[in-house]
Amino acid sequence: MKVLSVASELYPLIKTGGLADVAGALPLALVAHAIETKTLIPGYPAVMKAIKKPKKVHQFDNLLGEHVTLLEVKHDGLDILVLDCPALYERSGGPYVDGNARDYPDNWKRFAVLSKAGAEIAAGVLPGFEPDLVHVHDWQGALTPVYMRYAEAPEKPSLMTIHNIAFQGQFFAELFPYLELPPHAYNEALEYYGTLSYLKSGLVTAHAVSTVSPSYAEEILTHEFGMGLEGLIAGRSDNLYGIVNGIDVEVWNPASDDLLASNYSATTLKKRPANKAALVKRFGLDTDDGPLFCVISRLTWQKGLDLLNEIVDEFVESGARLAILGSGDSAIEASLQAAASRHRGRVGMVLGYDEKLSHLMQAGADVILVPSRFEPCGLTQLYALRYGCIPLVARTGGLADTVIDANEAAISAGVATGIQFAPVTADALRRAIRRTIRLYEDQKLWSQMQKQGMKSDVSWDRSAALYADLYQRLVSKGQ
Ligand code: ADP
């Protein structure tokens, strides 16, 4: 089967979030299912710089008024199609925002062009490549199924994956004529309370919609999580799927990770504490036998990290220590920094993004705290499972789907891998921390949970099989 993937990010070339990981990892994992994927991305400066000897494969003379060259290149095992259009993509900021974190004013066009190019490739403009299915990601790729719906070419099966429904790509309705769609497409697909919503248009036109965990797929049907699109999603519930992301189990392997102080596996857990000692030193924490909790996260309301401030004094009284790595909301940053200065030796903080340190933290901490208010999939808890760091997570989205709570039944069945709590309030978090500390006191049970977590399959293999199966169903239905 041949698949065209349309994405605005692709690991390892350009990444701001989990979408890049999925777009980069899934094609590689699908090879085993005889699925050949080409991924279409914009030619941002970082992409143009990284690719070597791309081949010009097509020239679009007028894509919404732009002259766009289509390049093809192999990179790290991925087959990539790049839209070379400096007028749209050669910008000094990130993929979506300028250096002052402001959206580029022409984002509506930058991603409509990406989507339209996707639809043209689906229709066969690229010699020798007739995709059987088109898989688009988030609002940036969401117009592809719309352009496919209104094109003259026969419509190919399409799947749209929502990585985070909070981002919807909403623009002024006045821009509609510039999208070069027939007038009736406005009401049929794009109109959303008097504006254009790209995500909505993908939701109503893609043959199937998926999100990155089964629980999040259910949650977005509700008012609380649907961000206004719950009604429309309910209308698609027959074709709504949830497939959890995997992680790169080569990069994240405690047995071979050279960023650790000491490598270990589920059978050599005795070697793990050397990492805890290194971590304690790195964060300037006291040395004792108590549990060490960590946070590795964007410090935002979504991640629930404002709650830490409310409980941190009591947390310290319980004898536990906390190492925080993150940055984000300035009020949360300030409150946690204040907690670190108030509780020297008990709470340590590194402000910023540090991929290397995050590996040592997963290997050294006893517990990772993930109190997210919503979490489409989440990656940190998956790394934690693989590294024997017990995840303490909010019972939401992908966190609920990937961590098995240590309740009585799960403990006696030997299947527990972490701790879940709900609702996301300071009180419930406080209780969950107390429960975790009690579990930690039973070191035999604790190491059993660690081993159980380390056995969990967090690789892409299982998820790729589910995507392959879904692709197959969509292609068969389309015939
Ligand atoms: P989200 O994409 O919503 O931020 P995820 O859990 O899906 O949350 O992915 C976050 C990724 O970013 C993980 O790989 C995590 O380890 C990493 N990360 C987040 N904050 C930091 C940080 N301050 N330093 C290093 N890595 C971080």
Side-chain angles (χ1 to χ4, degrees), residues 296-298 303 325-326 352-355 358 375 378-380 383:
I296 306 166
S297 183
R298 292 188 286 120
K303 300 291 178 182
L325 169 63
Y353 189 96
D354 188 337
E355 184 88 26
S358 76
E375 195 64 77
L379 290 174
T380 47
Y383 302 143

Side-chain angles (χ1 to χ4, degrees), residues 412-431:
S412 39
V415 295
T417 59
I419 294 94
Q420 293 191 356
F421 75 99
V424 181
T425 60
D427 254 351
L429 177 58
R430 206 177 271 129
R431 280 197 300 276

Side-chain angles (χ1 to χ4, degrees), residues 7 21 73 89 93 99 104 122 145 180 266 306 343 369 371 375 380 390 400 408 426 453 461 475-476:
D21 289 318
V73 68
Y89 306 124
Y104 296 120
E180 297 179 8
D306 48 311
H343 299 293
L369 277 174
E375 195 64 77
T380 47
I390 300 291
E408 285 303 325
D461 298 348
V475 170
S476 313

Side-chain angles (χ1 to χ4, degrees), residues 62-66 108-109 112-113 116 143 147 172-182 190 196 198:
N62 182 3
L63 266 185
L64 308 186
E66 300 295 335
W108 68 272
K109 188 177 196 181
V113 164
K116 190 153 179 17
L143 286 187
Y147 282 115
F172 292 118
E174 289 71 17
L175 294 166
F176 178 75
Y178 300 99
L179 295 178
E180 297 179 8
L181 285 160
L190 272 131
L196 304 178
Y198 283 20

Side-chain angles (χ1 to χ4, degrees), residues 165 214-227 229-238 240:
I165 204 164
S215 288
Y216 193 60
E218 300 229 332
E219 286 168 353
I220 58 176
L221 290 163
T222 66
H223 175 66
E224 191 185 351
F225 293 94
M227 307 260 175
L229 294 177
E230 57 275 11
L232 280 157
I233 294 167
R236 298 305 318 271
S237 55
D238 287 351
L240 179 64

Side-chain angles (χ1 to χ4, degrees), residues 4 12 64 82 97 99 157 173 211 248 291 306 331 342 374 418 421 445:
L4 172 69
L64 308 186
V82 178
V97 296
T211 183
D248 186 329
D306 48 311
R342 223 168 41 243
F374 67 95
F421 75 99
L445 170 61

